[in-house]
Amino acid sequence: MSQSLSRALQILIELGEGERSLDEVAASLQVHKTTAMRLLHTLEADRFVRRDDRQRYHLGSRLFALGTIALAQHAIRDVAQPHLTRLAAETGGQAVHLAAYENGAAIYLAKVESTHAVRMYSRVGLPAALHATAVGKVLVAGLPRGEQDAVIAGIDFRPFTSRTIADAAAYREVLARTREQGWAEDAAEHEDFINCVGAPVRDEAGRVIAAVSVSVPDVILPREGVRALVPQLLAATGAISADWAGRSS
């Protein structure tokens, strides 16, 4: 990848985390301000980046359009959506997510928002931590062994809470348990007030192609209460898998 393209992509990733000044972009890229400005002007001209009246940079409207197209191209999202909506209603208005594995990351493809006042932070199009979320564990557990080993080697096991998995050995044990029982949980491992259960969506050959999760604040349900939602979750992922297998018949 050319250096300019690599830097431009790094700018977009950086702005995806929040607005930045020219100085902040240059510092992140470790380049002179003139180099950062040239890249930003190019991105701004094509609406990938927007500059406000405080001279701070944001993601531009072109990315919104591309993001909508990218989501539309995920056929599994369309197949899953009615089941996600139904699952959210059946579990008492809890937050429901659909995620898929893409190039080393678990990406949220769809979300049904909770009807409760306390909500978790997650957004469609952004990644989910592989070691600290139920969907991340489900997706990695479903990878071929060689690819799984490479993914685990690349995880830095950043601690989000005191309960986050801290090392590769513990993570492998969790993945083995996930494969055996057919579902995973996030026991306040990503956000200390959220418990979550997740399960795989499979294609006709049994390969994991996506994961669905139900996330609940602990003020709504305790951990055991969230675990009690697993049968409904598995029914939903089974229905999505069946619809996916029968989509062209």
Side-chain angles (χ1 to χ4, degrees), residues 34-223:
T34 56
T35 300
M37 182 177 293
R38 183 172 65 252
L39 291 166
L40 285 164
H41 283 176
T42 299
L43 292 168
E44 188 177 8
D46 286 321
R47 295 187 293 110
F48 287 104
V49 162
R50 173 179 63 84
R51 179 175 42 168
D52 65 24
D53 55 9
R54 297 174 298 136
Q55 303 302 304
R56 295 184 69 82
Y57 292 88
H58 309 253
L59 293 178
S61 59
R62 176 66 65 83
L63 287 172
F64 300 149
L66 290 175
T68 300
I69 294 169
L71 286 173
Q73 290 175 348
H74 274 285
I76 187 62
R77 180 174 179 263
D78 293 335
V79 171
Q81 191 63 58
H83 298 285
L84 304 179
T85 302
R86 189 177 305 116
L87 178 61
E90 290 175 348
T91 55
Q94 311 305 341
V96 173
H97 295 87
L98 174 73
Y101 181 80
E102 291 184 9
N103 300 321
I107 305 296
Y108 288 120
L109 301 182
K111 178 181 183 181
V112 180
E113 287 283 4
S114 168
T115 59
H116 303 290
V118 180
R119 298 184 179 184
M120 67 179 293
Y121 175 79
S122 58
R123 287 164 54 190
V124 172
L126 292 185
L130 294 177
H131 67 297
T133 62
V135 291
K137 295 170 188 175
V138 167
L139 293 169
V140 176
L143 292 174
R145 185 57 183 267
E147 187 174 359
Q148 185 182 107
D149 288 343
V151 168
I152 294 173
I155 296 176
D156 64 4
F157 293 99
R158 168 190 170 191
F160 293 94
T161 75
S162 62
R163 296 181 61 89
T164 305
I165 296 171
D167 58 69
Y171 189 50
R172 288 184 188 279
E173 290 180 6
V174 168
L175 295 181
R177 186 162 62 248
T178 297
R179 287 190 296 273
E180 180 180 351
Q181 67 189 13
W183 58 276
E185 72 174 325
D186 157 11
E189 297 164 52
H190 190 258
E191 295 179 85
D192 57 15
F193 62 96
I194 297 284
N195 290 300
C196 178
V197 287
V201 174
R202 299 180 184 274
D203 66 10
E204 303 91 319
R207 292 173 298 227
V208 176
I209 57 171
V212 174
S213 66
V214 181
S215 303
V216 190
D218 56 12
V219 295
I220 305 297
L221 281 177
R223 180 180 176 186

